Amino acid sequence: MAHFSGHRQPAEVPAHFKNLFTNGQLGAAEEKHNGDNGEQENQQNNANNNNGPSDPSCWVFGYGSLCWHPGFTYTKCITGYIRGYVRRFWQGNVTHRGCTEKPGRVATLVEDKEGITWGCAYRITGSTALEYLKQRECTLGGYATIDTKFFPRVASQDTPFSGEAVEVLVYIATPENLHWLGDDPVEEIAKQIVTCSGPSGHNAEYLLRLALFMHEEIPGVRDDHLFELERLVLEELYRREIPLSSVMGRNPDRIRRDSHEDIRRPPSFEFTSRVPDTKLRCLNI
């Protein structure tokens, strides 16, 4: 049973985390690895990024709309999970997926000592993305900031994730914020999601794209709350004769996640074909 023990609600990034970011220590152990594909990815994701290569970097964990619509520039995206929390649609939203008269339902994290929440971590450089996230998540969304450990789905030698967790910044809602809606029967939450929309689109799109992210990117992992809401929302849309195409909006750009996955593979004999031919010289002894 999920429980909520209460969080501090800092006005901005926690002080010690911000110091790590400012001093450039967080993520400094990562070695820059850019192949042809990596370079192309960086150019695409950072077309509007004016930060220099020496700027400090940090990692941000997404478990809601950030999984499929980050909206900021980044250099890497890695799937994985954090511990001690479960995902719940207990946060109201009046600026993106709802309005003041009919708040939408979006995801937040609720403390659970045995909980695991899957999502993805983005590596960001410079202050532009943090300022964007502060406006999107804190000012408009009512979220506070915490830091915790992120565990990658696939370890790799070209990232800090060599089987060890890394510190990430997480945006989380608390019962003290203005938009908090709290727990309700999942059937009621599903009906609320089906009947709400806002400037960023229909509330059902938010839920269904998040569920699609889990199905496609992390197959085999269960998220009972999310998947039950997915089922109920689809049934409610069908019952109300609302076409799915009318709530999904434009397809977001494809995000290349776990780009390191094709770099670190189990050893096999196929690598012998990559060894260059060597001419042997015969020695007369």
Side-chain angles (χ1 to χ4, degrees), residues 60-169:
V60 174
F61 179 68
Y63 59 89
S65 61
L66 293 183
C67 291
W68 52 273
H69 179 58
F72 54 85
T73 56
Y74 58 92
T75 55
K76 285 187 183 296
C77 180
I78 310 294
T79 56
Y81 63 91
I82 63 173
R83 295 172 177 169
Y85 297 91
V86 290
R87 179 168 29 219
R88 294 289 183 266
F89 276 70
W90 291 2
Q91 172 70 350
N93 186 272
V94 300
T95 56
H96 293 291
R97 300 290 172 172
C99 60
T100 304
E101 295 76 20
K102 297 183 67 175
R105 286 262 186 175
V106 292
T108 185
L109 297 178
V110 176
E111 283 191 73
D112 186 325
K113 62 181 180 180
E114 297 182 355
I116 289 178
T117 299
W118 286 83
C120 54
Y122 295 94
R123 183 182 185 271
I124 60 176
T125 303
S127 60
T128 304
L130 279 182
E131 289 300 320
Y132 167 81
L133 285 167
K134 181 180 177 181
Q135 173 71 10
R136 169 175 167 174
E137 303 295 333
C138 301
T139 304
L140 297 178
Y143 288 73
T145 51
I146 63 170
D147 58 286
T148 189
K149 294 294 185 180
F150 171 81
F151 299 85
R153 183 175 66 91
V154 180
S156 173
Q157 294 175 341
D158 81 317
T159 71
F161 308 130
S162 299
E164 297 181 0
V166 69
E167 193 171 15
V168 291
L169 181 66

Side-chain angles (χ1 to χ4, degrees), residues 154-275:
V154 180
S156 173
Q157 294 175 341
D158 81 317
T159 71
F161 308 130
S162 299
E164 297 181 0
V166 69
E167 193 171 15
V168 291
L169 181 66
V170 186
Y171 294 89
I172 184 172
T174 71
E176 288 75 27
N177 81 79
L178 179 64
H179 306 300
W180 181 263
L181 295 178
D183 192 12
D184 267 323
V186 288
E187 294 81 6
E188 295 303 315
I189 294 177
K191 290 179 181 178
Q192 184 175 354
I193 290 173
V194 168
T195 58
C196 290
S197 62
S200 295
H202 202 286
N203 199 180
E205 179 186 25
Y206 177 105
L207 170 78
L208 296 175
R209 290 203 184 279
L210 179 55
L212 184 63
F213 159 80
M214 290 291 295
H215 294 315
E216 289 187 344
E217 301 291 340
I218 317 175
V221 172
R222 289 294 306 171
D223 188 321
D224 293 336
H225 180 75
L226 174 62
F227 294 161
E228 178 67 2
L229 280 175
E230 177 192 25
R231 181 184 68 82
L232 292 170
V233 164
L234 288 173
E235 288 181 355
E236 188 67 15
L237 288 172
Y238 178 78
R239 189 182 71 82
R240 293 171 181 255
E241 299 183 347
I242 301 176
L244 189 60
S245 58
S246 68
V247 303
M248 293 304 286
R250 185 181 66 87
N251 288 329
D253 294 334
R254 184 74 177 179
I255 297 175
R256 186 168 183 254
R257 305 180 179 92
D258 297 335
S259 57
H260 58 283
E261 193 170 359
D262 58 349
I263 297 174
R264 187 173 186 178
R265 293 180 292 179
S268 67
F269 289 107
E270 67 175 307
F271 291 103
T272 59
S273 63
R274 302 181 185 179
V275 178

